[in-house]
Amino acid sequence: MSTLFYIVIIIATTLAMEFVAWFAHKFVMHGLLWAWHEDHHKPHPDDEGFFEKNDLFFLVFAIPSAASYIIGLNVENLFWLTFVGIGISIYGLIYFLIHDVYIHQRFKWFRQLDNRYSRAILRAHGAHHANREKEAGESFGLLIVNSKYFRKRSERK
């Protein structure tokens, strides 16, 4: 198959992962596996350590990516699946950089993002974390942000 085909698979998978992540966040993290996600919605004193139960979701998303690599590289006629794994990995890296590094500052790599989009992401995520309960949340996505978050809170009313 052509290189262009594989590039399209990578891009399509990366984009599709935003919707997979939204669905998983809304219906799995705030549903069946709330026990893993709940600590992410609560303040963390420094003495509790670096990791939280919510970090287990890294494995949940890493498993299909790893499986795509393994199957794609080892099963005849399924090589294209390797590029699905690459797309999932790219989204995972984007998610890590935006969510853990930029929003939650778990690593002090970059703090100075300041444009309309980065501010909208912060506002949307802040609105999501304003509710510390399992139910009645909002803004479950990461990269696709409701247009209201591009405006300051005082301008949204």
Side-chain angles (χ1 to χ4, degrees):
M1 296 202 191
S2 77
T3 302
L4 180 60
F5 176 71
Y6 296 131
I7 291 170
V8 168
I9 290 175
I10 292 169
I11 293 169
T13 302
T14 303
L15 294 173
M17 283 304 298
E18 173 69 2
F19 299 99
V20 171
W22 176 90
F23 182 87
H25 192 181
K26 183 168 178 72
F27 296 108
V28 177
M29 295 176 183
H30 282 261
L32 182 66
L33 293 177
W34 174 250
W36 286 10
H37 187 61
E38 182 177 17
D39 68 340
H40 184 63
H41 281 266
K42 299 192 178 198
H44 290 276
D46 289 337
D47 63 346
E48 285 189 3
F50 181 77
F51 291 103
E52 50 190 47
K53 283 188 268 183
N54 185 68
D55 293 329
L56 292 168
F57 286 108
F58 166 79
L59 296 174
V60 171
F61 287 103
I63 290 169
S65 180
S68 295
Y69 284 112
I70 292 166
I71 295 167
L73 291 171
N74 291 293
V75 177
E76 191 173 337
N77 297 322
L78 291 181
F79 183 63
W80 60 270
L81 202 52
T82 306
F83 299 92
V84 170
I86 292 169
I88 296 170
S89 296
I90 290 170
Y91 184 82
L93 178 62
I94 293 167
Y95 192 95
F96 168 74
L97 290 173
I98 291 176
H99 183 265
D100 291 309
V101 176
Y102 176 60
I103 294 172
H104 289 290
Q105 295 290 306
R106 289 179 77 180
F107 300 90
K108 310 301 183 206
W109 296 342
F110 51 90
R111 299 178 184 195
Q112 302 305 319
L113 294 181
D114 190 26
N115 58 58
R116 286 188 72 229
Y117 181 63
S118 65
R119 286 189 300 271
I121 287 175
L122 286 175
R123 289 178 186 132
H125 204 75
H128 177 74
H129 277 271
N131 177 22
R132 294 188 179 170
E133 303 302 321
K134 178 179 177 180
E135 306 295 332
E138 66 176 280
S139 192
F140 292 93
L142 180 69
L143 302 175
I144 299 174
V145 180
N146 186 306
S147 62
K148 72 181 182 180
Y149 296 113
F150 284 87
R151 298 184 304 272
K152 294 178 183 174
R153 186 177 299 144
S154 61
E155 297 171 351
R156 283 187 236 153
K157 296 178 180 176

